[in-house]
């Protein structure tokens, strides 16, 4: 066996993207170069790593086994790099954070300057829904999780960051007939929901339940971006975090509908398992965040204060 680390890394990216084209794009290589490296790796095994079904590349069961082994190999190589950097006096390692989907508008601003100060630190940032974020945190797969609603069944500590405000919004064609609407108005709307497991959806449902509102027509979509595009297109209205729609509100593409009891308010928190033993990088980032969070909020989120 004479496969190279380069071939293994390319195959790992192929399994992640399930596409030679996408793997090539993410690795900044040409598609033929990726195909050649995949062939060279495949030539060293008697069992197929991938198959073409229709026009789609499919990783075989054996291919997934190899991919799992490759992940461990690459982690060991990264460990060597981190130790080398440490001997040079540089702080290095991997920082792993899971973020609820709306948090993609928040978390980068609390990471950028830290990563600039510590270029040897690698970041793994997973953006998904609340249920999967908490699953990753519970399984101890990540150092931190960014959520807007604290979990009730998990022992966590964390750092409070900033408010998360949710408003009822419609598109530019929404005509205001009242200066302010009561909760009964929601029953007249087609309301666009996030999927089950979303923190935004949970906030919506808690509000609707507390007001005994029964929604007659609803649409369910699986991302904040999809919800925003649906509202922009006039498919209905939705309760959305301001942080993800502020540009559209400013341009007039979306309108905040004045509702009694709004905005709904939650709190962005970066949380971690209580009693977790941090890596040096995670501990350094936690200290950095505690020290600099107020400065970063004033710099990047003054409009939200």
């Amino acid at each position: 066996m004479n496969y190279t680390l380069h071939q293994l890394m390319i195959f790992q990216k192929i399994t992640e993207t399930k596409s030679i084209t996408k793997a090539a794009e993410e690795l900044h290589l040409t598609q033929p170069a990726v195909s050649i490296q995949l062939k060279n790796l495949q030539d060293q095994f008697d069992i197929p790593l991938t198959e073409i079904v229709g026009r789609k590349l499919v990783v075989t069961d054996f291919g997934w086994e190899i991919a799992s082994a490759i992940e461990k190999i690459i982690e060991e190589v990264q460990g060597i790099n981190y130790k080398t950097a440490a001997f040079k006096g540089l702080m290095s390692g991997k920082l792993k954070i899971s973020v609820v989907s709306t948090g993609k508008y928040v978390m980068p601003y609390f990471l950028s300057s830290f990563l600039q100060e510590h270029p040897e630190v690698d970041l793994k940032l997973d953006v998904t829904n609340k249920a999967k974020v908490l699953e990753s945190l519970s399984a101890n797969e990540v150092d931190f999780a960014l959520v807007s609603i604290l979990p009730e069944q998990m022992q966590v500590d964390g750092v409070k960051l900033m408010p998360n405000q949710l408003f009822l919004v419609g598109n530019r064609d929404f005509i205001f007939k009242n200066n302010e609407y009561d909760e009964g108005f929601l029953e007249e709307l087609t309301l666009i929901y996030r999927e089950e497991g979303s923190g935004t959806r949970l906030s919506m449902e808690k509000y609707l339940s507390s007001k005994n509102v029964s929604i007659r027509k609803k649409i369910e979509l699986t991302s904040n971006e999809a919800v925003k595009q649906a509202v922009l297109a006039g498919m209905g209205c939705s309760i959305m975090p301001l942080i993800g729609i502020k540009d559209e509100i400013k341009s007039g593409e979306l309108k905040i509908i004045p509702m009694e009891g709004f905005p709904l308010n939650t709190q962005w928190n970066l949380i971690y398992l209580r009693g977790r033993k941090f890596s040096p990088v995670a501990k350094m980032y936690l200290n950095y965040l505690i020290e600099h969070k107020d400065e970063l909020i004033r710099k990047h989120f003054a409009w939200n204060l």
Side-chain angles (χ1 to χ4, degrees):
M1 294 283 180
N2 293 311
Y3 38 76
T4 65
L5 181 61
H6 183 56
Q7 289 170 353
L8 298 182
M9 294 177 71
I10 287 175
F11 184 65
Q12 183 189 47
K13 184 60 66 175
I14 290 171
T15 61
E16 287 177 2
T17 61
K18 300 180 178 63
S19 165
I20 290 176
T21 300
K22 291 179 181 178
E25 290 174 356
E26 294 191 17
L27 292 168
H28 305 290
L29 298 171
T30 65
Q31 185 173 333
V34 171
S35 296
I36 289 170
Q37 293 302 322
L38 175 60
K39 181 180 183 303
N40 290 341
L41 181 64
Q42 176 62 78
D43 287 345
Q44 299 181 68
F45 297 99
D46 296 329
I47 306 171
L49 298 170
T50 62
E51 296 175 339
I52 301 298
V53 179
R55 294 186 176 181
K56 186 177 179 181
L57 182 141
V58 176
V59 180
T60 65
D61 289 344
F62 178 68
W64 285 117
E65 290 290 335
I66 296 300
S68 178
I70 289 172
E71 184 175 0
K72 295 175 183 176
I73 292 169
I74 292 175
E75 285 180 357
E76 290 296 326
V77 171
Q78 289 174 337
I80 293 171
N81 294 337
Y82 299 150
K83 289 175 182 177
T84 302
F87 271 90
K88 292 180 179 178
L90 301 171
M91 177 56 75
S92 63
K94 180 175 284 188
L95 183 63
K96 295 175 285 187
I97 303 176
S98 189
V99 175
V100 295
S101 55
T102 310
K104 67 186 178 185
Y105 302 109
V106 177
M107 199 67 230
Y109 295 99
F110 290 98
L111 285 165
S112 178
S113 54
F114 174 79
L115 294 174
Q116 289 172 11
E117 289 180 18
H118 304 284
E120 299 299 319
V121 171
D122 291 332
L123 172 67
K124 181 180 180 182
L125 187 66
D126 182 35
V127 180
T128 183
N129 68 26
K130 182 189 174 189
K132 292 181 180 178
V133 166
L134 295 182
E135 182 180 326
S136 295
L137 186 67
S138 177
N140 213 23
E141 295 172 351
V142 296
D143 299 307
F144 303 102
L146 182 70
V147 296
S148 59
I149 300 174
L150 291 173
E152 297 179 357
Q153 306 299 323
M154 196 182 303
Q155 295 296 309
V156 299
D157 291 312
V159 180
K160 288 185 178 180
L161 297 182
M162 54 189 248
N164 180 38
Q165 297 182 312
L166 292 87
F167 290 87
L168 178 67
V169 295
N171 75 352
R172 65 166 71 246
D173 298 325
F174 184 89
I175 298 174
F176 294 96
K177 296 181 180 179
N178 299 329
N179 291 329
E180 187 176 62
Y181 295 88
D182 61 26
E183 61 270 14
F185 174 65
L186 292 167
E187 296 185 353
E188 303 174 20
L189 301 175
T190 297
L191 202 61
I192 303 174
Y193 283 65
R194 283 287 309 278
E195 79 283 7
E196 292 280 357
S198 158
T200 298
R201 176 166 178 153
L202 181 60
S203 296
M204 286 176 59
E205 290 180 334
K206 281 186 175 180
Y207 171 80
L208 296 173
S209 176
S210 71
K211 299 296 184 180
N212 295 314
V213 175
S214 178
I215 300 301
R216 299 173 185 173
K217 294 181 66 178
K218 71 179 184 180
I219 298 170
E220 182 177 304
L221 299 173
T222 58
S223 72
N224 280 305
E225 188 61 31
V227 171
K228 180 165 66 176
Q229 293 303 320
V231 176
L232 286 167
M235 293 173 63
C237 298
S238 188
I239 296 172
M240 301 189 69
L242 178 62
I243 199 164
I245 57 172
K246 64 182 181 66
D247 291 339
E248 288 78 11
I249 295 294
K250 185 176 181 180
S251 69
E253 295 176 273
L254 293 177
K255 296 178 180 179
I256 293 176
I257 302 170
M259 284 283 298
E260 291 180 6
F262 275 68
L264 307 181
N265 291 297
T266 59
Q267 175 78 39
W268 288 112
N269 292 272
L270 192 71
I271 62 174
Y272 51 90
L273 288 178
R274 186 167 295 167
R276 176 179 173 81
K277 293 183 179 179
F278 289 112
S279 68
V281 166
K283 180 62 176 176
M284 182 172 63
Y285 178 66
L286 181 61
N287 292 337
Y288 171 88
L289 186 63
I290 292 170
E291 181 180 353
H292 294 284
K293 66 166 186 167
D294 292 337
E295 169 194 341
L296 295 171
I297 290 169
R298 285 193 301 270
K299 179 178 179 181
H300 298 294
F301 301 102
W303 55 269
N304 193 50
L305 300 177

